[in-house]
Structure formats: C-alpha cells, structure tokens
Amino acid sequence: FFVTFYLTFLVYKLRRKEKFDTNDIILLLGNSFVFYGIGYALLENHTTGEQLLGLFSLCNAFIHLMVSAVIYRQKLADRNLFYLVSGLALVFIIIAFPVQLDGNWVTLLWVGEAALLFWIARTKNAPLYEKLSYPLMILAFLSIIHDWVTVYDVGNFEASITPVFNVNFLSSILFIAAFGLINILNQDKKYTCAFASKTGIYKTISIFIPAILFLTIYYAFRLEIANYWNQIYADVTSTVASEGRQYRQYDLGKFKIIWILNYSLLFVSLLTFFNFKKLQNPLLELLNLGLITLALAVFLVQGLYILSELRESYLEQVMSQSNQGGMFMIGIRYISFVFVSLALFTCHRYLRPDFVKRNLKIPFDYLLHVSIVWIASSELINWMDIADSAQSYKLGLSILWGTYSLFLIALGIWKKKKHVRVGAIALFGVTLIKLFFYDISHLDTISKTIVFVSLGVLLLIISFLYNKYRHIISEETAD
C-alpha cells in the first residue's frame, strides 16, 4: 500500500509541474518520516517484529531506491529530486545497523536528512533545500542531547554499556560524520550559501555549524569516559553488596573527574593545533585561548584538589596495609601534568606573530607562571605530605615562592619584560604577607630563622640584580 501510494503521489505531482515547491518537499520528507515512525513503533511493540527493525529499515531504503529509479527513467523532474529520494534511501541503509542494535534512529534520520538536503543545496545550487536543512539540524542536535541524557543516566546502572563498542557511541560517530560533511561543504568557498547576501545570518551559520560539530565530538568521548568509570563503580558496588567487602568506591569518582579533566585539556590542545595548522580562523583562535584558560583554571582549582584527595586515600591505605589503588593514586598526577604541558605548549605556539593578530603574550606569561607556581606548590605539598612533614604549608611554600620570585626577577631583566618583574614583586609580597600573618605563629624558632634568613638572602640578590642591571631597566622604561 505504501509503495503504491508513494509512487502514485510522486508521478501525479511531477506530471502536473516541473519542480517541487517547499510544501511538496516538506510533504515528501514528512511522508517518509511519519511512515517509518509508525512502522517502527508497531514492530517495536511486537515480540517477533522487534527483531526485524533492521530489515524494516532496509525495506524503506529499497522503496526509496525504487521511486528514485522511476523518477530517473521517466525523467519526471530535475536531478535535485532524484538526489533527494536516492539520499533518503542511503539514510535508511545507514541507520539500519544501529536500529537493529536498538539505536537512536530518530536522531540519525534527522541528521541524515539534514546532511542530504545540505549536500544537494550546495553542490546543485538549490537554496530551497539548504533552508529546509537548518531546522532538521536543530532537531537532530536536540535529539542527540536527549539521547545522551537518557542513555548516560548517572543514576541508572541497571544495563551495562560496553565502553566505546556500543550503539550509542556509534550513533554519536554517525552524527559527527554527518555534521563533518556539512561543515566541509560550508567551508568550501566554491559553493554559495543560500544566505550569502545576508551578512548577519551568514555569520551565524558559519558559527552554528562548527559549534555543533565540536560540541558533539567533545561530549561523545567525554560521556564515554564518564560511562567507563560509572560502570566500574556499579560493578564494584554490586561486588561489595554480594561479598560484603569494603572498597573505597568514592575514589573511583575522583579518578573519573581527573580523566575527564585530562581529556578536556587534550581536546582543547588538539582543537588549537588543528585550527593553527588547517583552519586559521581568528574567531576560533580567541575561543581556543579562552577554552585553554578555562580548562587550566578548572584543573588548577578542582583537579589538583582531587589529586590531593587521592594522595590522602593512598596514605590511608598505606597505614591500613591495603592495596586497592596502589601507586597509581600518586602517579596519575604526572599523567595530568603531561596534558597541562601540552595545553600550555599549544597555546604558546598559537601566539606566533605571523598568526595571532592580538598582543596576548602578556596574558600568556601570567597564565604560564601562575600555572607553574600553583603546580609546583601542589607538588611540594604532595611529597612533603608523603614524607610526613608538618611544615608543608609553611616553611616549604614560603621558600618556594621566594625562590620563584627571584627567578622571575632574573627572567624579567633578561627578557626585558616589565610585567614579569611586576608579577615577581607581587608574588614576593604575597610571600611576605603569608610569612608574617600565617607562618610565624605556627613555626618554631629554628624554622623561623631558616625562613627569615632564606628570604633575606633572596631580597639581597634581587636588590643586587636591580642595581647591576638598572641601565637595562632604564632603557626598557625609556622605550
């Protein structure tokens, strides 16, 4: 019945007029989607039918191929309609596999139709098809967000999801592939946008399409990482309940956060490198730098705190002679430092004068040295805590900050960077304030002597450097 109605409808419309208008195209897409949705719902609720959903999708593909063959042989319309119907057949073939595996067919159908319409519009110069593709893109994006929220429900561990090798991740990859094609066509200068004459809409589209693509790529892998640790947590919880053993399950949640932060740092680094080598988009340049700064800030504030909690858990296990996390609770921090270094390196490469159009070297210097001081302080506390030292937050930090201030003074004089010297003086001032208002009241006489002598020596060295190289500083001020 459906095949007969479909063929009759097309032949009747095409014999009356040469081209489809907007209403006809919407009706054609809606007819395919509504029929498929009704058929899918009927089969899904049937004991035998739920095993034939993939076959049902292939039958839909065959129907559309047959219709496209009739259009082509009888030359009932222009090639755009032929490409549309043939593309719909390809969409049904693609979604047959995730559908058979209980996939998110609604999302794939919408994004497949959007990519098909956009491809026809750009390659065949049919603006109407492009205008119809944008609502489908929005619907597909909202649909995949709904799928993620439903499937990766943090509180639902009843059904085990194999990391990466699961239909949900496959759906995300197909979504990324479709939007990747759309983005490639949108970036290709030989194709004309349907809104090329409207500057505001054109700029919005140029941001909208890559934004959806990059967000989908980021969250597709981020959710898989979170799901991996959630599944381990669920397995451990069930084991604890069945065997009555005790396990530090909350440490698994900390590992999850750390690996998500590591992945975020890696993602923004690769995005920066890709833009630097391929796209060279000034807007994405500023977005990259903002994302790197945000990722580093989150790591410094949250990540280092989580790493310190893992250290405390490790020390508690050592005291209790347990071995549930092992040295990896300490070692993971150095893996994280590799990702931090990669982010800072790509950010530095980004600031080449022949690429960046803004003077961002001063903010980068502050970001770099704040990160180094913060991480070095955390590392000092880490090892002094492992060594069971009671002065980790007092004597050690004060000497570290004072020494780094001296280093920044020397670096600022050598590189003729006034802002680095100003930052060094500010850091030294913070060190003195910490010394007088926090350290002294908690230190014994020997520790006080060590701190004051050390900082006094550092002050003498700083004063010596300023006096010896005052001509360099004066020339820099004059310039």
Side-chain angles (χ1 to χ4, degrees), residues 16 35 57 129 188 212 235 291 295 316 351 399 403 411 435 474:
R16 291 183 57 216
F35 169 78
S57 302
Y129 287 78
D188 199 329
I212 290 182
D235 295 340
L291 290 176
E316 289 178 13
L351 300 179
I399 295 176
T403 304
L411 181 65
L435 174 64
S474 300

Side-chain angles (χ1 to χ4, degrees), residues 45-258:
N45 295 323
H46 191 275
T47 306
T48 305
E50 65 179 356
Q51 306 298 325
L52 303 174
L53 294 174
L55 180 60
F56 175 65
S57 302
L58 292 177
C59 289
N60 274 270
F62 175 75
I63 292 171
H64 285 79
L65 285 174
M66 187 167 57
V67 173
S68 65
V70 172
I71 294 174
Y72 179 80
R73 289 194 174 186
Q74 297 190 13
K75 298 180 180 180
L76 296 178
D78 59 15
R79 288 295 182 91
N80 290 341
L81 181 60
F82 167 73
Y83 290 129
L84 175 59
V85 180
S86 301
L88 287 174
L90 180 61
V91 169
F92 282 113
I93 292 175
I94 292 174
I95 71 173
F97 299 99
V99 162
Q100 185 63 35
L101 298 173
D102 194 22
N104 307 312
W105 64 270
V106 176
T107 301
L108 296 178
L109 188 58
W110 274 338
V111 76
E113 290 182 352
L116 173 62
L117 290 173
F118 196 86
W119 175 76
I120 294 174
R122 288 297 176 94
T123 58
K124 307 304 176 183
N125 194 23
L128 177 61
Y129 287 78
E130 181 177 342
K131 294 176 181 178
L132 291 174
S133 69
Y134 293 120
L136 290 175
M137 292 182 198
I138 297 174
L139 288 174
F141 184 58
L142 295 176
S143 180
I144 197 170
I145 292 176
H146 175 268
D147 295 338
W148 286 341
V149 172
T150 303
V151 173
Y152 297 103
D153 183 7
V154 176
N156 181 21
F157 300 118
E158 295 180 0
S160 178
I161 303 176
T162 304
V164 179
F165 299 101
N166 60 79
V167 69
N168 307 296
F169 186 67
L170 173 61
S171 299
S172 298
I173 293 299
L174 292 175
F175 185 98
I176 291 170
F179 256 91
L181 173 62
I182 293 174
N183 188 65
I184 292 173
L185 292 172
N186 187 58
Q187 297 291 333
D188 199 329
K189 300 299 182 183
K190 69 180 181 181
Y191 300 129
T192 304
C193 176
F195 299 98
S197 60
K198 300 179 181 179
T199 306
I201 299 177
Y202 178 73
K203 289 183 178 179
T204 302
I205 292 172
S206 300
I207 298 173
F208 165 75
I209 294 176
I212 290 182
L213 177 61
F214 291 135
L215 280 173
T216 308
I217 295 174
Y218 173 75
Y219 275 101
F221 291 92
R222 185 187 187 277
L223 290 170
E224 284 297 312
I225 294 172
N227 173 68
Y228 170 77
W229 290 101
N230 289 338
Q231 292 295 331
I232 294 180
Y233 184 91
D235 295 340
V236 169
T237 303
S238 62
T239 303
V240 169
S242 61
E243 299 181 5
R245 296 187 296 105
Q246 290 187 351
Y247 192 94
R248 305 183 69 90
Q249 294 116 304
Y250 55 86
D251 288 338
L252 294 174
K254 297 171 187 175
F255 276 112
K256 179 179 76 170
I257 294 174
I258 291 300

Side-chain angles (χ1 to χ4, degrees), residues 405 408-409 420-432 462 466:
S405 299
L408 289 179
I409 290 289
V420 173
R421 299 196 304 272
V422 171
I425 294 172
L427 177 60
F428 203 90
V430 171
T431 304
L432 292 176
I462 292 172
Y466 261 89

